[in-house]
Amino acid sequence: MAKTEEKTRQETHAGDGAGLHLHMRTLHPPVPVPYLTKEEMTSTARAAASRLPATPAAKDLAFYGGLGALAVAGALEWPVALAVGGATWLVRSGRKKTEEE
């Protein structure tokens, strides 16, 4: 009976890879995790916001919104609305630059 028990042990171990030892190494590099304070986040947000263009005037928003509404309604074709809006923007931005100088 001891021989049959030994045989069954050998058969079960032979199928599960007994005798094979696989050594694995894992690498855990040190990764610094930045700690952000409220002041750092606020200063970064202010710096990013200062680079954004200024908010357009309400008059400009109404004009460009009206052009868009006319184009959506079909009263103007898209190329015409874009040309009128682009030309108006160029003229107004040119005027602002000459006023600043």
Side-chain angles (χ1 to χ4, degrees):
M1 208 153 130
K3 287 184 180 182
T4 58
E5 287 178 21
E6 213 172 291
K7 245 185 190 182
T8 56
R9 278 191 210 151
Q10 287 176 355
E11 288 172 1
T12 57
H13 288 299
D16 66 356
L20 297 176
H21 298 286
L22 181 62
H23 295 282
M24 296 184 69
R25 304 277 184 214
T26 57
L27 177 66
H28 299 285
V31 177
V33 177
Y35 179 75
L36 300 174
T37 62
K38 182 180 176 184
E39 291 80 20
E40 290 173 340
M41 292 295 289
T42 305
S43 66
T44 304
R46 285 189 181 138
S50 69
R51 294 181 181 168
L52 293 174
T55 307
K59 183 174 83 172
D60 292 341
L61 287 176
F63 175 74
Y64 295 120
L67 273 178
L70 287 172
V72 168
L76 282 177
E77 295 292 325
W78 279 107
V80 173
L82 286 175
V84 170
T88 305
W89 178 77
L90 283 173
V91 169
R92 287 182 182 175
S93 66
R95 283 185 193 163
K96 287 179 186 176
K97 285 183 183 177
T98 56
E99 287 175 5
E100 289 175 1
E101 292 174 354

